[in-house]
Amino acid sequence: MLSRILKYSSLLRDKKLSSVELTKEYLKKIAAKNGELNAFVSVDEERALNLAGAADKLLKEGKGNLLTGIPFGVKANIAEKGVETDCCSRILKGYRPTYNATVIEKLLSSGAVSLGKNNMDEFAMGSSTETGSHGAAYNPVNRDYVTGGSSGGGAAAVASDMAVYALGSDTGGSVRQPAAFCGAVGLKPTYGSLSRYGLIAYGSSLDQIGPLTSSVADAAIVYDALRGVDPRDSTSSALSVSAFEKLSGDVKNLKIGLPKEYFEGINPEIVNTVKSAAATYEKLGATLKEISVPSLKYALPAYYIIACAEASSNLGRYDGIRYGYRSRDYDDVNEMIMKTRSAGFGKEVKRRIMLGTYVLSAGYFDAYYKKALRVREQVSEAFRMAFDEVDLMLTPVAPTTAFPLNYTSENMIETYMSDYCTVPVNIAGLPAISLPAGTDEKGLPIGIQLIGAKFSEPLILNAAYAFESACNGGKEAENE
Ligand code: GLN
């Protein structure tokens, strides 16, 4: 097993290691590597060691679960009581939530150990972590390249083993794309399969929390621990099912679709990697089918209209009155709000608020926002029809491997376009996983994406597990 969680969990249970020892080990790794990678924007050592002490007590009593005592990182947009959760934005500098997100509550109550906050793009708007107020995180494979984003800090922390796993959020690809860029596994669960309570909203109808891990088994374990309906999130659902115990690696007779629209404009090295992954599946007994889903092309423009519209509304609450940054120099309340928002938000966030306000404004609402909602329906329907034909889809995660640093700020439209392979899943509320499948000629990781119908997490995780086992067969045998 390549699972870090299973490895540490069994050491903890067999009393060969304590959570305090394990946590110290990870804090040491952070101290050694974070200066170079900027994957964590804050680490609370004392809190982590206290949590580890409590975990050791639980373990001594024979209580807890697979995640008890295991250290993890948290994206800076997921609320933790008393811990600065600034979304990597100046406007939320110093904001310490008075409550825990449901996912945090679940993890902490089972004795998991939160290490600190992972770097991200400001309010999760971006693809590189370069829009965040703490500066970019660096790709652990090669520091001249970005980690991807927006959950880039978490992906880098996991890939460089500064955290056993991390929680990210995915509105249009923010878990899957950085996972692909850094060589980690990233799961974007079905919309509603786990609670968004305490996830600071970007595009509420698209946002979903998901795990970043170093193996598929770990993604399944964390998913199982987080999923479930929550009375605090009215969009959460009771339909999700657990995945870990269903990891058999058996994909015989699985029908895998290769949607041809996903292969247009993709770097040839990535196309080859996905095709060779398809061949691996065929060898494992799955059947491949080339399919066509033409409306996928419209998902990207619809995404940028819907995400910006929702962001413009969600970010209306940062007015300097209730929390976060407030400008000091003003004559009346309007000026205070204007100055606070002008200085508090970065360039990319302001751009999206303006775009969102524009598409929602009286004269343009029908032409943009309403049309985007209709496209959304079409894309969802196209996926529904495709899943009558195939069990899941295999696609690239992104058209390129990691961008060089500073590339995105000068190539904004191209960066938006690079979300082409990930956003359709959010538009339709589907689950998808990104997992490592190779490297390009520069040695940068290449990911593949598996997409399933709603609540098919067990199916996509099992298919990912089959591929991972096939690729790592030799390595796994050595480790055991
Ligand atoms: N890159 C996409 C964007 O900038 C996705 C972000 C996300 O999933 N949070 O909107």
Side-chain angles (χ1 to χ4, degrees), residues 215-404:
S215 70
V216 175
D218 284 359
I221 293 168
V222 179
Y223 171 73
D224 285 353
L226 303 183
R227 70 174 188 86
V229 68
D230 176 12
R232 290 189 167 113
D233 172 3
S234 61
T235 62
S236 68
S237 160
L239 293 175
S240 69
V241 269
S242 57
F244 177 62
E245 78 240 19
K246 299 189 191 87
L247 298 181
S248 65
D250 181 2
V251 290
K252 274 189 204 83
N253 303 323
L254 198 71
K255 254 196 235 151
I256 301 179
L258 299 161
K260 76 176 196 322
E261 291 75 12
Y262 266 102
F263 291 85
E264 288 160 13
I266 306 291
N267 173 324
E269 280 180 285
I270 295 178
V271 172
N272 288 341
T273 303
V274 180
K275 294 258 157 91
S276 97
T280 303
Y281 277 114
E282 212 167 20
K283 264 192 228 139
L284 293 171
T287 38
L288 304 177
K289 186 167 182 193
E290 204 174 293
I291 55 172
S292 170
V293 194
S295 56
L296 283 184
K297 278 198 205 114
Y298 307 112
L300 185 83
Y303 166 79
Y304 271 97
I305 290 172
I306 295 167
C308 290
E310 292 184 13
S312 74
S313 161
N314 276 326
L315 273 57
R317 71 191 68 164
Y318 306 110
D319 50 15
I321 295 171
R322 283 160 287 194
Y323 34 60
Y325 167 79
R326 177 187 299 170
S327 163
R328 285 167 193 273
D329 160 40
Y330 55 87
D331 289 329
D332 60 32
V333 70
N334 281 333
E335 197 184 336
M336 186 280 281
I337 293 174
M338 210 170 78
K339 285 192 167 166
T340 295
R341 287 170 68 83
S342 299
F345 290 130
K347 212 164 129 192
E348 183 60 24
V349 171
K350 280 190 262 196
R351 177 160 35 223
R352 295 194 190 200
I353 292 174
M354 284 190 276
L355 280 172
T357 310
Y358 177 79
V359 299
L360 288 175
S361 60
Y364 299 98
F365 183 85
D366 284 352
Y368 293 105
Y369 185 66
K370 230 167 142 186
K371 204 188 249 171
L373 291 186
R374 279 204 293 268
V375 168
R376 181 175 203 172
E377 209 23 70
Q378 270 177 26
V379 171
S380 305
E381 182 56 25
F383 271 117
R384 275 194 290 271
M385 279 163 58
F387 287 123
D388 285 341
E389 265 183 82
V390 295
D391 299 312
L392 46 81
M393 294 182 195
L394 170 64
T395 77
V397 182
T400 65
T401 50
F403 324 115

Side-chain angles (χ1 to χ4, degrees), residues 50-323:
N50 283 338
L51 291 169
D56 281 331
K57 242 171 97 192
L58 274 179
L59 288 163
K60 217 181 207 164
E61 294 162 8
K63 292 186 188 148
N65 59 25
L66 288 173
L67 297 175
T68 307
I70 306 227
F72 66 102
V74 184
K75 190 172 179 179
N77 61 352
I78 300 176
E80 283 181 276
K81 193 174 170 181
V83 179
E84 183 172 2
T85 303
D86 68 358
C87 285
C88 291
S89 177
R90 278 190 304 277
I91 211 153
L92 275 179
K93 192 170 171 2
Y95 167 59
R96 291 175 191 271
T98 52
Y99 65 101
N100 280 326
T102 297
V103 291
I104 295 295
E105 201 59 50
K106 285 191 175 196
L107 292 176
L108 295 189
S109 67
S110 59
V113 177
S114 164
L115 292 166
K117 291 302 197 199
N118 288 131
N119 204 348
M120 60 184 278
D121 283 290
E122 184 176 7
F123 282 103
M125 298 176 190
S127 303
S128 65
T129 73
E130 289 168 305
T131 71
S133 58
H134 297 272
Y138 296 87
N139 194 308
V141 177
N142 183 334
R143 285 186 73 252
D144 294 336
Y145 293 85
V146 300
T147 54
S150 60
S151 315
V158 170
S160 62
D161 200 16
M162 284 193 273
V164 176
Y165 66 95
L167 299 185
S169 70
D170 191 313
T171 305
S174 278
V175 165
R176 289 162 287 155
Q177 183 255 29
F181 280 13
C182 293
V185 174
L187 175 71
K188 184 266 171 205
T190 307
Y191 186 76
S193 62
L194 53 94
S195 171
R196 285 181 299 114
Y197 178 72
L199 168 66
I200 296 177
Y202 161 17
S204 313
S205 76
L206 305 156
D207 296 340
Q208 191 62 74
I209 293 170
L212 287 147
T213 60
S214 64
S215 70
V216 175
D218 284 359
I221 293 168
V222 179
Y223 171 73
D224 285 353
L226 303 183
R227 70 174 188 86
V229 68
D230 176 12
R232 290 189 167 113
D233 172 3
S234 61
T235 62
S236 68
S237 160
L239 293 175
S240 69
V241 269
S242 57
F244 177 62
E245 78 240 19
K246 299 189 191 87
L247 298 181
S248 65
D250 181 2
V251 290
K252 274 189 204 83
N253 303 323
L254 198 71
K255 254 196 235 151
I256 301 179
L258 299 161
K260 76 176 196 322
E261 291 75 12
Y262 266 102
F263 291 85
E264 288 160 13
I266 306 291
N267 173 324
E269 280 180 285
I270 295 178
V271 172
N272 288 341
T273 303
V274 180
K275 294 258 157 91
S276 97
T280 303
Y281 277 114
E282 212 167 20
K283 264 192 228 139
L284 293 171
T287 38
L288 304 177
K289 186 167 182 193
E290 204 174 293
I291 55 172
S292 170
V293 194
S295 56
L296 283 184
K297 278 198 205 114
Y298 307 112
L300 185 83
Y303 166 79
Y304 271 97
I305 290 172
I306 295 167
C308 290
E310 292 184 13
S312 74
S313 161
N314 276 326
L315 273 57
R317 71 191 68 164
Y318 306 110
D319 50 15
I321 295 171
R322 283 160 287 194
Y323 34 60

Side-chain angles (χ1 to χ4, degrees), residues 180 183-184 270 273-274 276-277 394 434-439 445-449 467 471:
I270 295 178
T273 303
V274 180
S276 97
L394 170 64
S434 155
L435 68 155
T439 47
I446 298 177
I448 54 168
Q449 174 173 240
F467 179 77
C471 295

